[in-house]
Amino acid sequence: MINDKKVLAIIPARGGSKGIPRKNIILLKGKPLIAWTIAEAKKSRFLDRIIVSTDDEEIADIAKQWGGEIPFFRPQELAQDDTPGIAPILHALNHFTDYEYVVVLQPTSPLRTAEDIDEAISLCEKNKRNFCVSVTESKLLPEWMFFVNEDGVLAPLNSNRPIPYQRQKAKKAYVLNGAIYVARIDALVDAQSFLTTETIPYIMPLDRSVDIDDVSDIACCEYLIEKREREIH
């Protein structure tokens, strides 16, 4: 709860995944991937309830073992490859009526911390905004990005901007890192998206922004976890 407003956390974890089979429960440093997100969510000062939205019994059992709550199973039609990401969130919200905020935490972002979660919620509340999403600074500059046009020639992605020849002169750009999505529930139901013209950013460092998509990301996460453990000790 924050300022007497109740906060619901939803961890979406369907059974199907193409890049890494059974990705949401693959082991990372000996612990199922989803467990990393549940553990940090449970440390949050503001989250009142943490639920897992899944269509998969094995994921549900593992989530329960690590402290996640499974109040319902997601319908199969909301667990397909082409299901919009917002659909299972809106489905879950139909089961809850007394929460002001919803926070979506994807299991594929295991390095996000409880402090990150709470800071993103605080930003929304402090700034009286309806939406906040986590981002990280892009290593790629949009001004240095091109597409190949119909003549087979490189054309700048943004033709309205001059191309800077020094990185320091380029404007900073940010990319979604998939770790945290915060919204006031009534506004989310109306907008059907976390990304609106009023969405504010919560900026996270690169070393907490790994989004696991393939096996190389697992190796990167393991390295960063070991590095963090060494720094603590």
Side-chain angles (χ1 to χ4, degrees), residues 9-23:
I10 301 175
I11 301 174
R14 71 185 183 101
S17 58
K18 287 192 171 181
I20 304 176
R22 313 294 291 162
K23 177 167 63 176

Side-chain angles (χ1 to χ4, degrees), residues 10-16 24 53-56 72-95 192:
I10 301 175
I11 301 174
R14 71 185 183 101
N24 288 317
S53 169
T54 187
D55 61 313
D56 187 278
F72 53 80
F73 274 86
R74 188 194 304 185
Q76 284 298 319
E77 62 268 22
L78 297 181
Q80 305 304 309
D81 289 340
D82 59 354
T83 300
I86 192 65
I89 305 307
L90 296 174
H91 167 263
L93 291 177
N94 287 331
H95 293 76
Q192 305 274 297

Side-chain angles (χ1 to χ4, degrees), residues 4 34 41 46-47 63 67 95 98 103 131 136 145 151 170-171 183-184 232:
D4 297 322
I34 194 170
F46 300 140
L47 298 181
H95 293 76
D98 57 343
V103 180
F131 305 94
T136 192
M145 297 179 75
D151 298 320
K171 195 171 182 179
R184 290 181 184 265
I232 291 172

Side-chain angles (χ1 to χ4, degrees), residues 141-143 161 164 167-173:
L141 302 178
E143 291 91 342
R161 289 186 187 176
R167 173 176 285 272
Q168 295 86 342
K169 293 183 179 179
K171 195 171 182 179
K172 282 187 178 181

